[in-house]
Amino acid sequence: MTIPLFGLFGYKYNPIRIISKSPGAFAVLLCSFLYLVWYLPTANVRYELRSAWSDAPRRLIVFGDSWSDNAIYPIDLPPKNLLPIRDDAQGPVWTEWLCEAIKCNHHDNFARSLPALPTTDLRGAVVNSAILNRTLPAGHGDVTMLPDLKTQVSQWLRFERKQYTSSRMREKEKRGTIFTVWFSLWDIWYYSHLNSDEASKAIHESIDTLFEQLMLITDHWPMETKIILPEAMDPTFLPAWSMQRTGPAGSDHSAEDQRNAIQLVKQWNVALDKRASRWDKGQIYIYNTNDWMLDQVREAQLMVGNMMDHNGLGHSGSPWDSVQFACAGSGNRGRHRSPSHGKGGLDPFRCSNPDKYLFWDEMHLGPEAHKMIGQGIAADIAESHGDSWFTHEQPEGVKAADTSAVDRKKPPVT
């Protein structure tokens, strides 16, 4: 691969003039050239520098709750009291790791989540707040405060009309766009309180709403849509579940909610798979995040018991110091915590090694978990689709009408 030096530095120059006026500048230039001669052959130039050297923009459009929200909003900035408070030690969310892995140029975040407030028991974000409103008892609070998927898609449509109507890169940018939609955590958290029939109905209606909104996105997208849908993850593994439900101070001493939640996770994921398998409006990639979570917990347990299962889990040890306690928050006390200096409303006490905790706080994954999911999705799609999802070229021998597909992948254990 030949890279003209004037393209590398962004302007044309006369090397003789530089040498004659500044021998030092020539030495710097020579060192830079020698470094490039050494480095470029060792790098995957075609992949790593594609966005820098080609007119092929990539864009990630994100919908979801606080697990996907990086607190940077392209439209409708939330009021100050509704902005998420993030500690630098939390690191990037999984969509940011995905964006970095695929070298995207734009990360447009429409994911939002209602933080904990003293005025209401409501938190998080659900697919359809109207369904939640119907299932909650009187006096529960204003569910319209929850930024559901309908609200987020509506914001995205307004942003598209405002931002990209006259963009010179509009068509190429659309061909390089990937959507991510990850809901289910708070839906299952709320609906696990219901009896099995009511909960099942709420889950099915939520899946209906999810695909109605995917259809709306597709109807407003002239190119083939590429959509990433992580599966529902079992919320009973969260530190918050034992604190608020099955623990001594919890509300679910009989574990009825826990059993219900586990069934709702299965129901959500089965319904997601079935609907995605019938999807003919583009490509859907489903990431099996629930199996990923189970593997993380199982491997840690096997390591403690000095055991290994038939799949090899436990052989290489666990990357986690704890899969039960959170790094920050009230779910991690005593020996599991070390003091840190809190500021801006952040927890003044948190663990000193957040990367070694599966959970950051009672309701959120830790920084290393986000990294594993984001990079794992990027690597798996690149492998299974031959990198075609991240370029604008049609795979050889595949017609546009033949590319609609659904993949359901179980992520590897790292």
Side-chain angles (χ1 to χ4, degrees):
M1 178 178 180
T2 302
I3 301 177
L5 287 178
F6 67 83
L8 180 64
F9 289 99
Y11 58 89
K12 296 182 179 180
Y13 60 93
N14 184 337
I16 302 300
R17 184 177 301 169
I18 293 178
I19 295 170
S20 63
K21 287 189 175 183
S22 175
F26 172 70
V28 171
L29 182 62
L30 179 61
C31 291
S32 299
F33 175 76
L34 293 175
Y35 172 78
L36 290 174
V37 170
W38 167 81
Y39 173 75
L40 287 180
T42 67
N44 187 344
V45 178
R46 181 178 181 274
Y47 182 74
E48 296 293 336
L49 300 183
R50 185 185 296 123
S51 64
W53 303 117
S54 66
D55 185 20
R58 275 176 223 74
R59 182 181 176 204
L60 197 66
I61 299 176
V62 179
F63 303 104
D65 56 27
S66 56
W67 283 28
S68 305
D69 181 5
N70 69 348
I72 301 174
Y73 308 102
I75 193 172
D76 296 348
L77 182 70
K80 187 175 181 180
N81 67 316
L82 300 184
L83 287 171
I85 298 176
R86 290 186 60 83
D87 190 314
D88 289 343
Q90 285 182 261
V93 295
W94 73 275
T95 56
E96 292 175 297
W97 285 112
L98 173 62
C99 188
E100 180 184 89
I102 66 176
K103 305 300 174 185
C104 67
N105 305 76
H106 301 286
H107 179 285
D108 291 332
N109 171 51
F110 298 90
R112 307 195 179 202
S113 196
L114 183 67
L117 298 173
T119 56
T120 179
D121 292 333
L122 295 175
R123 287 181 62 190
V126 295
V127 170
N128 189 334
S129 59
I131 298 173
L132 178 63
N133 186 55
R134 189 191 68 219
T135 63
L136 292 175
H140 52 68
D142 184 8
V143 297
T144 61
M145 296 176 65
L146 297 178
D148 63 9
L149 179 57
K150 285 186 173 183
T151 302
Q152 294 177 22
V153 171
S154 175
Q155 291 170 334
W156 167 70
L157 289 172
R158 286 193 291 108
F159 178 73
E160 290 297 309
R161 289 192 292 267
K162 176 182 177 182
Q163 184 73 12
Y164 286 96
T165 299
S166 60
S167 173
R168 290 179 296 177
M169 294 198 308
R170 183 182 180 212
E171 297 306 315
K172 288 187 176 181
E173 192 165 60
K174 286 183 180 296
R175 284 196 293 271
T177 294
I178 295 174
F179 297 86
T180 72
V181 184
W182 195 4
F183 283 85
S184 66
L185 174 68
W186 288 100
D187 302 80
I188 293 171
W189 181 273
Y190 286 118
Y191 301 145
S192 61
H193 276 304
L194 306 175
N195 65 54
S196 59
D197 290 340
E198 291 176 335
S200 179
K201 180 180 179 181
I203 292 298
H204 278 297
E205 290 179 348
S206 297
I207 294 292
D208 286 343
T209 300
L210 190 154
F211 278 87
E212 287 169 3
Q213 294 304 304
L214 294 187
M215 182 65 73
L216 183 60
I217 292 171
T218 300
D219 289 343
H220 287 81
W221 201 253
M223 309 296 175
E224 180 194 48
T225 52
K226 302 182 181 90
I227 304 171
I228 295 173
L229 295 176
E231 286 190 336
M233 194 179 288
D234 188 345
T236 66
F237 285 111
L238 294 170
W241 191 273
S242 61
M243 292 173 56
Q244 301 180 32
R245 298 290 184 92
T246 54
S251 59
D252 185 32
H253 294 162
S254 65
E256 184 64 30
D257 288 357
Q258 182 171 359
R259 289 188 290 271
N260 202 14
I262 293 171
Q263 290 303 314
L264 294 181
V265 170
K266 294 179 181 178
Q267 183 179 329
W268 182 287
N269 291 338
V270 168
L272 193 71
D273 288 351
K274 287 183 177 179
R275 293 292 294 270
S277 67
R278 300 196 300 267
W279 182 258
D280 61 357
K281 304 299 182 182
Q283 299 188 59
I284 288 180
Y285 174 87
I286 293 179
Y287 199 62
N288 196 335
T289 38
N290 195 48
D291 275 7
W292 174 86
M293 172 68 81
L294 291 171
D295 285 346
Q296 306 310 307
V297 175
R298 187 181 300 118
E299 189 168 47
Q301 293 171 340
L302 289 170
M303 186 190 71
V304 171
N306 196 26
M307 295 182 293
M308 181 178 67
D309 73 0
H310 65 282
N311 292 319
L313 282 178
H315 174 70
S316 57
S318 170
W320 314 111
D321 286 351
S322 177
V323 297
Q324 179 181 3
F325 297 98
C327 172
S330 56
N332 194 3
R333 296 294 181 189
R335 65 183 179 88
H336 299 284
R337 294 162 60 87
S338 60
S340 157
H341 296 290
K343 58 182 180 179
L346 301 177
D347 188 353
F349 290 91
R350 61 168 172 78
C351 68
S352 59
N353 51 343
D355 287 346
K356 304 296 290 182
Y357 280 73
L358 179 58
F359 299 106
W360 166 255
D361 62 17
E362 291 90 340
M363 288 298 299
H364 295 91
L365 293 172
E368 186 64 20
H370 276 280
K371 181 179 179 179
M372 290 167 68
I373 292 173
Q375 292 184 342
I377 289 175
D380 190 66
I381 293 178
E383 179 182 355
S384 60
H385 290 274
D387 199 32
S388 64
W389 262 45
F390 306 138
T391 65
H392 304 316
E393 297 84 14
Q394 192 70 26
E396 186 176 353
V398 179
K399 298 179 181 179
D402 298 328
T403 57
S404 297
V406 55
D407 285 331
R408 185 179 188 272
K409 298 294 183 181
K410 177 179 178 179
V413 179
T414 57

